[in-house]
Amino acid sequence: MAGEFQVSGTNKAALFTLKLHRGDGMLLLAMNWKKDKPPKDFVGFAIEYKEPKGSKFFSLKNRLALPGNENSVNPNALSTRLSPIQKFRWVHFPRNAEMIGAFVYRVSPVFMNTAGELSYGEAQEAAIELQRETYPDQLNVTFTRGFVSSQAFVDRYGADAIATLLPGKNDVDLNFVPTHPEAAEALAWMGFEARSAILEVLDQAIGDKKALVRAVVYDLNEPGIVSRMEKLGRRLQIIIDDEGAHGAANSSETLAAQRLVASAGAQNVKRQHMGSLQHNKTIVVDGPKVQVAVCGSTNHSWRGFFVQNNNAIILRGKGVVKLFRTAFDDYWVNDNQAAVFGATVSASWQQLGLKGIGAQISFSPRARKNAVLQSIADDIGNGTQSSLFFSLAFLYQTPGPIRTAIKILQKEKNVFSYGISDHAVGDLKAPYTQGLDLQKPDGSVTLVQPAALTGKNVPEPFKSEPVGGSGTRMHHKFVVIDFDKPTARVYMGSFNFSGAADTSNGENLLLIQDRRIAVSYVVEALRIFDHYHFRVAQLDAATAQKKLQLAIPPRKPGDKAWWEEDYSDARKIKDRELFA
């Protein structure tokens, strides 16, 4: 059915179920065996898809292969019909996800006999629309790709590409010009939909000659953003953070402010830090043709677009624009007066007024009487019924009500929780010193250092990866509660879910009660978690000098099928059943 965000296969003859979950620019496929357990000779799923109005199916490829002669490793990515997916869920990025119409997915179970020959069972098919806008003309969820350290990046642009695509020092960011021969394509790929959507908003503002633009920004060093803002002339009014390094005379933010003073006038450019940081990343366009606002975690910077995992929400409508303009005016008038801003209507929850979408917004800093951190913790701790997904900065290093609520929730056997947060490791000025705390469904927390696979750290059949783009990688700030229920909701924004974000910093925070949007954030969460889980496996394999290959069926007593843990471990059982 048109517009559905979750679609299931209907083939009763198939031995398994298939459910598709629409993400933004991606989708999640979830499979589950219908009766008891799969047979021992089941070696995974073959996945194929057909584009809207297309006539042929394309097979997804797998980087892992079944063992060859003498247990050799095949160095090539192979069709999943030959190298089946040995997982019960998979996130796929269609090459043309913005195409109008339904994408058709066909999934087949693959079996292997004792002679090593493959055969295929009855397939499931399902069709789903993946059009770009989450809710056309109202709300669009967008993400950056965030994977400069990945095999996909290496395959496309090479292991040495980072130095030719990204600047190495902040004080030259505004003057840096990429020299990579495929720079335009690479930056578009890295920035994904978040970057293209934000640039599109600014281009629309430039084209609407009577539109006024109001922006509040934290990092500002991406030349494409600044040059577009210059084209707005005196139609632009902007607040730029000046806390710490941002306030230095040679910082990119200071240099950008000087350029914008020249184009917009000194009266339209303000430096600000509220109680501690002006941490917003908002743009609002108010014109006769364009009524749009942007918020979320995506900084207007090289790192924000091209290195970090980030999200941005694009909101459209006169009511939305009025709320964002009021907040901007409250920041502008109450310059660095956190307590005064906290008493304004902007610092309280306000309905966005979107048709058919339950959505509220609130801006920081708040007064203590209308602070929201404890109420969010209460919602997590007392309101979660089935699942919790989160990406929160420094969660396990910062005491507070959110961490307490999550740790208590982890003890609930009926709740599936999955989370990730950044974790400082050593000297933050050195490459790859920003780690990640990965909270797995069993409640354990693993410190992951997302180092590149280089030199002796590259297990077969993978390639050496780039070593640039250091620092924080995980920059999302979102919590998803009960994505599979009618009460599904998402907290998201620039808000770091800390006391400072609540009552000191300038921030934006949205509460969206909508299953389509909750599912989109869950798909994003899973693709990130799976990426870093697999990186741990890659590095462990390199350390142990083991080959990464697909598992063949059990051949002797004591051998286990690849899927055994998915049917014996309580948390993995919950994982398998929750999405399928």
Side-chain angles (χ1 to χ4, degrees), residues 40-61:
K40 295 292 185 180
D41 62 347
F42 170 58
V43 287
F45 295 100
I47 305 176
E48 302 165 280
Y49 80 106
K50 183 169 61 176
E51 294 178 339
K53 299 180 181 179
S55 59
K56 62 177 68 175
F57 278 90
F58 297 93
S59 180
L60 272 62
K61 293 186 177 182

Side-chain angles (χ1 to χ4, degrees), residues 291-347:
Q291 297 273 323
V292 60
V294 181
C295 61
S297 71
T298 308
N299 279 310
H300 307 96
S301 65
W302 290 98
R303 291 192 53 75
F305 283 140
F306 306 122
V307 177
Q308 296 170 334
N309 293 113
N310 271 313
N311 67 92
I313 283 188
I314 316 299
L315 300 158
R316 296 185 183 273
K318 292 182 178 180
V320 166
V321 166
K322 183 178 179 180
L323 292 176
F324 275 80
R325 283 205 61 172
T326 299
F328 179 90
D329 292 342
D330 287 337
Y331 282 128
W332 190 273
V333 173
N334 301 305
D335 193 22
N336 292 333
Q337 300 180 76
V340 179
F341 182 92
T344 66
V345 67
S346 297

